Amino acid sequence: MNKLLAANFSRLFKNKVFWICCIFAFCYGVFMQTMNYLTSIASGEIPQIDDLFFSFAIWTGILLSAFISLFLGTEYSDGTIRNKLVIGHRRHDIYLSNLIVCITAGAVMYAINLIASFAVGIPLMGGFDAGAELVFATCIGILITAAAFASICTMISMLCQNKAAAAVINILLIFLLLFVSLYIRAWLEAPETVTTQSVVMGENGVSSMTTEEVPNPVYLSGTARETCEFINDLLPTGQAVQFTNMEAENIPLLCSYSAVITAVAAGAGTILFTKKDIR
């Protein structure tokens, strides 16, 4: 296992796609904090570093879906996995070593983004309005969510020997989950009532405009709302959206969901990989 990890980390830090993702993470942090400051100043508002400081949370899944597909797909295309099996490495060691490296890659990308965001945001806009405990918890929550993204993408990439197919599946899956999360979020944010306007004709023939609060037909309540809230909290993309706006009400719960997803995907991937016919 140690030899596998050493070889994988050596390959990781020589991987061009990994460094491109890291450069993007750094530039994204600088760009978002600079634009947040300039936009606030231009509109006459007081710049707030809290605004979209953690917006890179959404990008972690997207970057990892592309990076992991290419990084692990190369092992199949170059025959590396077959060679590892031939020299006696166990399949579950190969799988877990790849998973550990992919999770680490996601953590490094996010750490680089945080460094850039803090380095630019703090001097421009000062400290957070939110408490230090919430900021720290959000950072930890995003890292655990990134591990869930990495676990899902690793499972797909290790089970699909075609690098291009794995990349398409992973990227489409992340965008599909993101679309579902945003759609559910729009439902949950719908107001309970809406204002309607109507024209009323008086007895003297003079019309007047009246407004009335009526129940919103798309407002979710009861079991439907509870189900959507659960799905929104369970999906890594739903968690990422909540972390982006620092709106997560129960970060420990979200972290537990991500931990379960990571464990389930890792367990299922390991079992299926041990039974896979390596061509």
Side-chain angles (χ1 to χ4, degrees), residues 186-235:
W187 279 350
L188 293 175
E189 291 182 341
E192 188 171 357
T193 61
V194 293
T195 302
T196 61
Q197 294 182 335
S198 59
V199 178
V200 178
M201 185 67 68
E203 295 181 357
N204 57 0
V206 178
S207 62
S208 61
M209 184 74 69
T210 62
T211 59
E212 181 183 6
E213 289 286 332
V214 298
N216 187 349
V218 299
Y219 178 78
L220 296 177
S221 60
T223 303
R225 188 171 191 84
E226 293 175 357
T227 302
C228 285
E229 287 177 344
F230 170 74
I231 296 174
N232 187 52
D233 290 343
L234 176 65
L235 294 179

Side-chain angles (χ1 to χ4, degrees), residues 250-263:
N250 193 338
I251 294 179
L253 178 64
L254 301 187
C255 290
S256 65
Y257 285 152
S258 285
V260 169
I261 291 173
T262 302

Side-chain angles (χ1 to χ4, degrees), residues 28-247:
Y28 184 85
V30 173
F31 174 78
M32 289 302 294
Q33 298 312 305
T34 303
M35 290 305 298
N36 182 22
Y37 175 77
L38 294 177
T39 302
S40 298
I41 294 297
S43 60
E45 300 176 355
I46 299 176
Q48 300 290 333
I49 193 174
D50 302 55
D51 296 340
L52 298 178
F53 183 86
F54 294 105
S55 61
F56 188 74
I58 295 177
W59 281 98
T60 55
I62 298 172
L63 292 181
L64 284 174
S65 65
F67 163 73
I68 292 175
S69 302
L70 298 175
F71 182 74
L72 298 182
T74 302
E75 289 213 320
Y76 279 117
S77 60
D78 293 349
T80 306
I81 288 183
R82 177 174 288 278
N83 292 337
K84 289 178 180 179
L85 294 173
V86 169
I87 63 178
H89 289 296
R90 294 175 296 182
R91 290 197 178 207
H92 68 268
D93 286 341
I94 295 174
Y95 188 96
L96 292 178
S97 64
N98 284 340
L99 175 60
I100 290 172
V101 171
C102 290
I103 290 176
T104 303
V108 171
M109 292 176 197
Y110 185 63
I112 289 175
N113 174 261
L114 276 183
I115 292 172
S117 298
F118 276 114
V120 176
I122 295 295
L124 288 178
M125 293 170 281
F128 288 85
D129 284 343
E133 182 178 349
L134 176 58
V135 174
F136 178 76
T138 301
C139 292
I140 298 300
I142 294 174
L143 287 175
I144 298 177
T145 300
F149 281 126
S151 188
I152 293 171
C153 294
T154 298
M155 179 181 68
I156 294 173
S157 297
M158 290 296 289
L159 298 179
C160 181
Q161 293 187 218
N162 187 303
K163 179 167 61 176
V168 171
I169 294 172
N170 276 330
I171 293 172
L172 288 181
L173 176 62
I174 296 301
F175 275 104
L176 175 62
L177 294 179
L178 181 58
F179 174 79
V180 171
S181 297
L182 293 175
Y183 203 75
I184 290 176
R185 183 178 178 85
W187 279 350
L188 293 175
E189 291 182 341
E192 188 171 357
T193 61
V194 293
T195 302
T196 61
Q197 294 182 335
S198 59
V199 178
V200 178
M201 185 67 68
E203 295 181 357
N204 57 0
V206 178
S207 62
S208 61
M209 184 74 69
T210 62
T211 59
E212 181 183 6
E213 289 286 332
V214 298
N216 187 349
V218 299
Y219 178 78
L220 296 177
S221 60
T223 303
R225 188 171 191 84
E226 293 175 357
T227 302
C228 285
E229 287 177 344
F230 170 74
I231 296 174
N232 187 52
D233 290 343
L234 176 65
L235 294 179
T237 46
Q239 298 175 22
V241 173
Q242 293 182 62
F243 288 136
T244 292
N245 300 312
M246 297 183 72
E247 295 177 352

Side-chain angles (χ1 to χ4, degrees), residues 8-21 67 70-72 74:
N8 281 346
F9 276 116
S10 176
R11 192 162 66 89
L12 172 68
F13 293 120
K14 295 177 182 178
N15 187 275
K16 293 181 180 179
V17 177
F18 170 71
W19 288 113
I20 290 173
C21 291
F67 163 73
L70 298 175
F71 182 74
L72 298 182
T74 302

